[in-house]
Amino acid sequence: MGGRSYAAEEPPGQALGVTLADLIGAPLWGALLAEGHRRAHRAGDVLLRQGDPGTHALALAGGVVKVTCTERDGTVRVLAFRGAGDVVGEAAVARSGAARLATVEAISACAVAVVEKDRFRRFVERHGLSPVLHEHALTRLGESDRARAGRGGSCERVAQALLALVAATGEAAAAAGPGVELAVTRSDLAQYLGVSRNTVSARLREIGDGVVSAGRKCVVVHDPAGLRSFARGGPRNV
């Protein structure tokens, strides 16, 4: 994403992960963005819906999204969070417009490039990106598994996850300082970390309302510096 961000100050391995832009490089990523038309979304907007046909892919130019899947019994599972530099919806496009297997929802203000199915597939073929997309899909699965395999619901892991989300909203949000609002719930964080909602609530109380607070549908980071201290395993800097 360039420039200074919270991710650079987090413990190793705690960002949202390797993006497609990281793998293909800035020039080719810019070319992919140019293949689509730009669209802006607010936090809470549904960008892609499970079950809809795969008519297009979205290249994330800024912001963070939540990827969820609804099971047959109605249970909603959080699969991943994705930030600027990544693509969502490409799997259904690659399967000749098959139905989408997940829903994608903005958890911050987002800017996306909407790349229609045929244009996306031609771009991938022209630049020989099929192996890269396959590798990236496997990498993202591994990242999701590792996110759930840490030391339980410690304050460190909760703080690291929140810092990664703030960093992935983009440089503008990071520079804004305190008061970064994320449309993510305690249940979302619990599923992402593989712990209970009560555990996440308890850890947020330990961190304290002066650093981070949670509403019914959002989490607000008030003090990034204090949160970074918890992410490193120490108390809030005073």
Side-chain angles (χ1 to χ4, degrees):
M1 276 172 275
R4 181 182 181 277
S5 74
Y6 295 137
E9 302 185 46
E10 291 171 25
Q14 294 302 321
L16 289 185
V18 176
T19 67
L20 181 62
D22 293 330
L23 293 177
I24 66 177
L28 200 52
W29 174 252
L32 177 58
L33 292 178
E35 289 286 327
H37 62 273
R38 293 298 182 104
R39 195 166 71 190
H41 288 276
R42 296 176 297 179
D45 284 354
V46 174
L47 281 62
L48 303 172
R49 196 176 300 275
Q50 183 177 344
D52 284 354
T55 56
H56 59 278
L58 299 178
L60 300 175
V64 184
V65 299
K66 174 179 66 176
V67 183
T68 64
C69 175
T70 302
E71 306 287 3
R72 290 184 179 180
D73 63 0
T75 302
V76 178
R77 291 195 301 120
V78 176
L79 303 179
F81 296 104
R82 298 285 171 238
D86 238 325
V87 170
V88 290
E90 79 284 5
V93 167
R95 300 195 312 274
S96 300
R100 301 196 187 281
L101 300 178
T103 292
V104 177
E105 180 180 343
I107 68 168
S108 73
C110 287
V112 304
V114 182
V115 186
E116 300 301 328
K117 175 183 65 177
D118 291 342
R119 292 182 70 91
F120 184 83
R121 295 177 73 177
R122 284 197 298 268
F123 185 88
V124 169
E125 182 178 356
R126 185 162 67 247
H127 296 285
L129 295 180
S130 289
V132 178
L133 288 172
H134 179 69
E135 175 192 348
H136 188 41
L138 295 177
T139 299
R140 293 196 301 192
L141 284 174
E143 290 166 353
S144 295
D145 289 342
R146 286 193 294 274
R148 295 168 174 81
R151 290 194 303 123
S154 66
C155 285
E156 292 96 323
R157 289 191 68 217
V158 172
Q160 288 163 6
L162 288 172
L163 283 173
L165 292 176
V166 170
T169 62
E171 192 170 331
V180 179
E181 182 173 325
L182 302 165
V184 62
T185 68
R186 283 165 285 187
S187 294
D188 292 336
L189 289 171
Q191 287 192 38
Y192 181 60
L193 295 171
V195 298
S196 72
R197 181 182 183 278
N198 287 341
T199 296
V200 170
S201 296
R203 298 296 86 81
L204 291 176
R205 286 195 298 271
E206 288 180 35
I207 294 172
D209 286 344
V211 178
V212 59
S213 60
R216 190 168 65 89
K217 294 185 177 181
C218 71
V219 172
V220 182
V221 176
H222 302 287
D223 181 0
L227 195 58
R228 283 197 293 275
S229 181
F230 277 103
R232 297 188 181 104
R236 180 186 178 191
N237 293 327
V238 295

